[in-house]
Amino acid sequence: MKIALASPPFPENINDGLQTLEKMVIEAADLKAEIICFPESYLPGYPGMGYSKADQTSENLETALNEVCRIAAENSIAIIVPMDWYIDKQLVNLAYVVSEKGEILGYQTKNQLDPSEDTIWVPGTERSIFEIKDVKFGITICHEGFRYPESVRWAAQNGARIVFHPHFSGSNTNGVKLTEWGNKSNPYYEKAMVMRALENTIYFASVNYSSLYPESASSLIDPAGNCVLHEVYERSGIIIGEIDPDQATGLLAKRFKNSLYS
């Protein structure tokens, strides 16, 4: 299966985000990708990015999701689109999965919030497995994938061959310019990506925004812990990787003795 990882710039508003999404989806479809994933809270944008609060209304978010469904159907490609969303009138951080036919297959909420996010979103409470063209996958969002390996292990134990990891790390205003993927002086994020794949014997696809000072690059890690490909720091665009589901056995995840820790 060919997958696409999108590293867009911060959207100025929800319409700007949709325009960039459509452009990247068309490019991914032209390159024969079967699914594309965008970074955390892409619509309307991560908090503090400057979008209008009007973009965060339930009506505008629903309109945006319908537009994503149209884009998926017109280009015959599945889309993982992280969004803000309202459940029981409470704002959550989630990622919708839209099939290549434009059908909504479900969503995964961010269940483990960073302490700084406790006043922004309400955490979710459930985990899900999705399937596109006979390939099962899970989703874990940012902080929970970096610091709560159980979120990835659960997916691997339940048949996921790959876990997608939309996240946001970095800044457009200050930081350190990274030059080498996985360097020992880099923030720990890329090292955590390796561990999530290696400790579960699955693929791990981590997806970040492009920014002037990124703290991690969008990356695909194979079940042996090797970085198959990664985005160039600061570059906005997509990268295409091919996965072999048969190599993602989930062996180490399935050997984990849950009963010892429950």
Side-chain angles (χ1 to χ4, degrees):
M1 173 180 275
K2 278 189 175 182
I3 66 169
L5 309 183
S7 299
F10 300 155
E12 295 180 3
N13 52 57
I14 199 166
N15 288 330
D16 178 55
L18 283 168
Q19 289 173 10
T20 301
L21 180 144
E22 183 165 22
K23 178 181 177 181
M24 290 184 166
V25 165
I26 290 171
E27 182 181 356
D30 287 344
L31 294 171
K32 309 302 181 185
E34 294 168 276
I35 186 168
I36 182 170
C37 182
F38 286 83
E40 180 183 17
S41 194
Y42 181 61
L43 297 176
Y46 195 83
M49 288 185 178
Y51 59 83
S52 167
K53 275 295 181 181
D55 286 346
Q56 206 178 40
T57 65
S58 178
E59 294 77 14
N60 284 338
L61 292 171
E62 288 177 12
T63 298
L65 180 59
N66 288 336
E67 185 69 2
V68 173
C69 291
R70 176 193 66 79
I71 293 168
E74 287 186 359
N75 294 281
S76 299
I77 182 173
I79 302 173
I80 298 173
V81 56
M83 302 182 67
D84 284 1
W85 200 258
Y86 291 91
I87 298 178
D88 296 328
K89 297 183 179 181
Q90 294 182 307
L91 189 67
V92 298
N93 177 327
L94 54 69
Y96 268 105
V97 179
V98 179
S99 79
E100 71 278 6
K101 296 180 180 179
E103 301 167 339
I104 297 173
L105 301 183
Y107 60 79
Q108 176 61 62
T109 52
K110 187 175 187 178
N111 300 337
Q112 295 281 171
L113 300 180
D114 183 89
S116 67
E117 299 169 343
D118 285 342
T119 58
I120 301 173
W121 295 295
V122 171
T125 58
E126 299 180 0
R127 303 218 68 85
S128 299
I129 293 292
F130 307 92
E131 187 170 338
I132 294 288
K133 297 190 175 179
D134 299 323
V135 177
K136 291 184 178 181
F137 62 92
I139 299 171
T140 185
I141 301 174
C142 199
H143 176 74
E144 61 182 358
F146 285 132
R147 295 181 178 88
Y148 294 88
E150 296 85 355
S151 65
V152 181
R153 178 160 286 142
W154 179 90
Q157 288 185 329
N158 284 275
R161 302 304 180 100
I162 181 171
V163 168
F164 289 92
H165 179 233
H167 73 278
F168 166 53
S169 68
S171 170
N172 260 351
T173 58
N174 59 77
V176 176
K177 296 277 189 178
L178 304 185
T179 59
E180 180 187 11
W181 192 94
N183 186 284
K184 65 180 181 180
S185 298
N186 287 6
Y188 83 101
Y189 300 116
E190 291 164 350
K191 303 171 186 70
M193 297 174 193
V194 170
M195 290 309 303
R196 296 300 87 82
L198 181 63
E199 67 199 4
N200 293 296
T201 329
I202 60 169
Y203 289 94
F204 192 75
S206 196
V207 188
N208 192 17
Y209 290 89
S210 65
S211 64
L212 295 178
Y213 303 97
E215 294 181 332
S216 59
S218 295
S219 310
L220 175 62
I221 315 298
D222 73 13
N226 302 305
C227 180
V228 176
L229 77 163
H230 63 82
E231 184 55 275
V232 176
Y233 295 122
E234 304 178 43
R235 191 187 84 96
S236 174
I238 66 169
I239 52 176
I240 304 288
E242 192 162 356
I243 67 169
D244 178 0
D246 290 339
Q247 297 299 313
T249 62
L251 175 64
L252 294 180
K254 292 170 184 174
R255 286 177 59 84
F256 183 76
K257 298 178 181 179
N258 296 296
S259 60
L260 295 179
Y261 304 94
S262 62

